[in-house]
Structures are given as structure tokens and as C-alpha cells.
Amino acid sequence: MSEENMIQLDLGTTAQKTTAAEKLPVVLLALDQGKYDMPRSLDELRALADANGMQAVAEVVQKRQTPEAATLLGEGKVAEARLVCQNVRAAAAIFDGELTGSQIRNLSAALQVEVLDRTLLILEIFRARATTNEGKLQTELATLRYQLPRLQGLGESMSRQGGGGGGGGGARRGAGETKLELDRRHLHHRIEHLEEKLKELEKRRGETRRARQKNNVPVVALVGYTNVGKSSLLNALCGEQIFEADMLFATLDPTARKLTLPSGLQIILVDTVGFVSRLPHHLVEAFRSTLEEAAFADVIIKVVDAGDEQAAEQLAVTDEVLSGLDCGDIPQLVVYNKCDTANLSSFDPDILLTSAKTGRGLPELLAKLDDVLAHRVRTLELVLPYDKLALADILRSRGSVAAEEYREDGVFYRATVKIDDLHRFEPFLV
């Protein structure tokens, strides 16, 4: 198998053959061991399926402390699930959790439909939504890491011999590598190749980040659960149009935009990939680059959906992911977005409530950012002599001018400048 040809495993491809007008019917499967909120998890799985062009038409849930090794669900529940799939003419079944390769194979054979697990469904969405080269490489890497431990259980064809044979004079060569060994070796090589490419991109990203730090441009990262309106908030604040939709993982790749605060301080506002509960560790690892924008930010804005009953749980998921990135010493603001859909009487008056749709609360958010970053700027009054007006370009490009007045001895300015530039203007202060 050539290095250029990817191993194609028949997993999740059916979900990409649908159109916007016709969603594929699927059945949700789950094993409830009492470890988490099952109704909420199924609601999220249903939303993930919808984001992948599927419609959950039925659910089969079993409460059981000890999972069945071969299928997780018990024999009777698997038989019930098969009848449900037949009755609703399901195109696929999605399990709310991670399955091994053999469990996928066993369930698919028993149900007579394609079977996906939660992780594979998220990977399918990532694959469809990634637009940048880095996003595509990260998606492929995460997919290969998912496939690698599942090769042995994903089909009998992978156990066939891939080499060997007879030689002249009755001599025999070795049995050769099995198809499984060839596939595993190819995946290892491809993973190493992708890791090297991503390291190169990470090096470039580090250079860009150092350039920001050299120019003393503060970075503010928008983080939070997927579909809480981070992209809409960025568009509302910056006036830049990036894709936004009412679905999970509407945008994947990190987006950075310039924003000038009321004080005149220029910042970089960065949108990051959204979180979901129980996001597998290797998915977090694969998409660490977009999350690193939070780890290196000057301020983190944790965005929550004000109209969601699970807002507290969403915030907990966000805090859990951020804690793994060592962001504890970075100033953090909590913003409840989509307040136009919420009952505002239940919120404390001091809480930051915003609506990217109506613009409510955006001035308060910008003012709060100014407060947090106040140590980065200073407002001053000065008179620049006419032979020093070149410094006015610095006032405008690296700060902001609130007032300007021509006088006999020079030009009077009331302006906001960065602390790092203050020494340039000290001789001309009023």
C-alpha cells in the first residue's frame, strides 16, 4: 500500500451521503451505568447526529452495571435494537460512547446496519468542517489514532496473508506480513508523517505568537461549549463574517480578528473550537493548537448559552478542559450569550449578559475588557511640536486619539497609548 493512499475503513461514510433536505434515519444506542446524566448525553448525541446530516428517530437504552464484552449491550437488548432498526428502516446506529473494533463489528453484524460510536461521529463532523490545512491534518491524525487500536476487529480481510509463497526447487519464503501488520505499519508511518507536518505548523504558529508578544498586542480567547454563539459573538464585535450556524461544531478552525477597545487599545480576538462533554482525550490532543490560543491568551472569555438549562454543566466542561491546559493564572471572564432567549430575571445583575443577535451587553463586555487590560494602556494629554509630528502616527497606529487641536507651539492631543510607548511622549506631556 503506497504512502499516499489512505487506509479506507467503512466507518461513518454513509452519514456523508445525505443532502440538506433529507437526513438519514439513525437509532441511538446507550449503556446506562449511572456514571453521567444519560438524558443530557443522548440530547447531545442527537445534536451531533443532526450536525452530521442524520436524524435520530429512535433510542435503545439499557441500564446495566456490567457491560457485555462483545457488544456492551446484553443479548436481549441487542435483539430489541435490531427490531427497532428494522422497523424505522435505520441507515445506521450510533452508540453513545467509545467502542472497540470488535464491538463495532459484532454490533453491526447483529443489527444489520452500519454502527458508529460517539468518537467516530465527532471525527466525521470534524472531517467535513475542517477548512484550513492544519485543521485537515489534525482531523486525519485523530482519525488514524482512533483506527489504529481497532484494526484487528474491523474485518476479517485484515487477517489474510499479504505475502509469502513458493520458491524455485521447493524452497519457501517466509509467510510474509499479514494484511493486519501491513495496515498497522502504514498507519504508524502516516501518523509519524502527520506529526512532523503539524510540528512544522506549530513552529510557525509560535513565531506568529512571538510577533504578537513583541508588538505587545493582547490576545483574548473565546472558549466554551460548542454552539454557544462564539462565532456570532466574534462577528458582532469585529464586524468580520465567519461561518455561523445553530449546530454543533459549525466552525472548527481557529479564527483571529483585530478589535479596538473603547480605550483605543487594539487586541486580537480569537475564536476556538467548541467543547462537548466527554470529549475523548486524543481528540483534545489532536486539536491542541486551537486550544493553545487560550493557554497563551492574556484574557479568556468563557462563553455560555444563557438560554440553556445545562449552562452550569457547560461551564464545568469548559473549566475542565482549561484546567488541563494550565490556564489557571490567566484572567477569565464568564459571558452568558444568547440572553435574548433567556429569562433574565434569574441572573445576577453583575453577570455579563450578551446577545450577538441584538447587540445587548456588547458595550459592557468591551468596557470590562478595558478594565482587565487597563495596566496595558495610559490616557494622557500632550503637545507635539510641529517638528515631532511623526510621533502622531504612533498615537494613531498603536493607540487612539480622542481630541486633537492645533496650537502655536504644536498640536495638542488627548490620547490613549500603550505603556510600552509612554517613554516616547513623556517630554511632551502637558
Side-chain angles (χ1 to χ4, degrees):
M1 183 179 295
S2 67
E3 193 67 27
E4 291 78 12
N5 295 326
M6 289 291 299
I7 294 177
Q8 297 297 325
L9 301 181
D10 188 19
L11 292 173
T13 52
T14 303
Q16 298 299 325
K17 299 175 184 177
T18 186
T19 64
E22 181 183 358
K23 291 183 178 291
L24 292 176
V26 296
V27 174
L28 306 184
L29 309 176
L31 177 66
D32 186 359
Q33 296 179 275
K35 295 181 179 180
Y36 48 85
D37 187 339
M38 181 56 66
R40 176 173 177 265
S41 185
L42 285 175
D43 285 344
E44 186 175 270
L45 187 65
R46 189 178 297 105
L48 287 168
D50 181 71
N52 198 46
M54 300 169 164
Q55 181 180 5
V57 294
E59 300 173 1
V60 177
V61 181
Q62 182 175 32
K63 288 189 176 182
R64 177 176 176 146
Q65 290 297 321
T66 306
E68 184 71 29
T71 56
L72 290 186
L73 302 177
E75 184 178 347
K77 191 59 71 170
V78 170
E80 177 188 334
R82 179 175 181 175
L83 289 175
V84 171
C85 289
Q86 291 174 344
N87 290 337
V88 301
R89 297 188 178 184
I94 307 174
F95 192 87
D96 189 28
E98 279 206 0
L99 299 171
T100 65
S102 60
Q103 288 167 346
I104 291 174
R105 181 192 62 195
N106 294 337
L107 279 171
S108 183
L111 304 181
Q112 294 299 299
V113 295
E114 182 183 12
V115 173
L116 296 80
D117 64 11
R118 183 188 182 92
T119 302
L120 183 56
L121 178 61
I122 294 174
L123 283 170
E124 280 294 300
I125 297 171
F126 281 10
R127 183 179 65 81
R129 303 279 169 78
T131 56
T132 65
N133 183 43
E134 185 172 14
K136 292 175 181 178
L137 291 176
Q138 289 170 327
T139 301
E140 183 182 346
L141 178 60
T143 302
L144 294 181
R145 285 175 172 169
Y146 170 89
Q147 291 175 349
L148 188 59
R150 292 168 173 79
L151 285 179
Q152 190 166 3
L154 287 173
E156 295 179 356
S157 63
M158 290 189 177
S159 64
R160 294 195 298 266
Q161 294 292 328
R172 294 183 59 83
R173 298 194 301 269
E177 291 181 292
T178 65
K179 179 71 162 56
L180 175 62
E181 289 167 344
L182 284 170
D183 288 342
R184 184 177 287 122
R185 184 157 57 90
H186 173 76
L187 256 65
H188 276 299
H189 287 167
R190 184 62 182 168
I191 286 172
E192 290 174 1
H193 178 65
L194 291 173
E195 287 175 340
E196 286 299 319
K197 278 191 171 184
L198 287 170
K199 283 180 181 178
E200 293 176 8
L201 292 174
E202 183 179 352
K203 182 180 179 181
R204 294 178 198 169
R205 190 171 56 253
E207 292 171 354
T208 302
R209 189 179 294 121
R210 283 190 292 274
R212 289 178 188 165
Q213 293 170 344
K214 183 178 180 180
N215 293 330
N216 202 27
V217 180
V219 175
V220 177
L222 296 169
V223 302
Y225 206 82
T226 181
N227 202 34
V228 296
K230 298 189 303 299
S231 298
S232 300
L233 199 57
L234 185 142
N235 284 338
L237 291 170
C238 302
E240 298 282 351
Q241 290 301 312
I242 61 173
F243 179 71
E244 55 184 79
D246 186 18
M247 64 173 64
L248 302 190
F249 299 118
T251 54
L252 271 185
D253 299 297
T255 304
R257 295 287 182 266
K258 287 184 179 179
L259 175 64
T260 302
L261 298 180
S263 67
L265 178 65
Q266 289 188 345
I267 67 171
I268 299 294
L269 191 61
V270 180
D271 184 16
T272 62
V273 66
F275 308 144
V276 295
S277 60
R278 294 160 45 227
L279 186 65
H281 179 70
H282 61 275
L283 285 185
V284 176
E285 285 296 315
F287 286 83
R288 180 168 290 274
S289 64
T290 181
L291 298 175
E292 277 183 348
E293 293 294 345
F296 287 93
D298 295 273
V299 181
I300 295 174
I301 298 178
K302 298 185 290 189
V303 186
V304 189
D305 185 346
D308 196 314
E309 295 180 355
Q310 305 293 336
E313 287 80 0
Q314 291 178 2
L315 192 56
V317 170
T318 302
D319 288 335
E320 181 182 353
V321 176
L322 289 177
S323 66
L325 295 171
D326 297 326
C327 299
D329 59 342
I330 300 175
Q332 300 181 11
L333 302 177
V334 179
V335 172
Y336 285 81
N337 194 33
K338 300 185 180 181
C339 69
D340 54 294
T341 65
N343 177 14
L344 302 186
S345 62
S346 60
F347 288 93
D348 188 290
D350 294 331
I351 286 179
L352 281 172
L353 293 167
T354 63
S355 171
K357 183 178 180 180
T358 67
R360 175 169 179 167
L362 299 187
E364 290 79 2
L365 172 57
L366 294 177
K368 188 67 176 178
L369 284 174
D370 257 336
D371 289 342
V372 176
L373 294 169
H375 64 286
R376 307 289 286 267
V377 295
R378 182 75 54 82
T379 300
L380 46 82
E381 294 183 347
L382 69 157
V383 175
L384 289 179
Y386 286 106
D387 61 345
K388 298 292 184 181
L389 288 185
L391 290 172
D393 291 335
I394 296 177
L395 284 179
R396 293 188 175 90
S397 63
R398 293 174 56 83
S400 66
V401 176
E404 182 177 4
E405 179 186 337
Y406 285 82
R407 299 178 177 177
E408 290 186 6
D409 54 344
V411 182
F412 167 82
Y413 292 97
R414 183 181 300 111
T416 300
V417 300
K418 294 180 180 178
I419 293 296
D420 289 354
D421 294 327
L422 189 58
H423 67 282
R424 302 173 185 264
F425 305 103
E426 284 179 345
F428 314 108
L429 294 178
V430 176

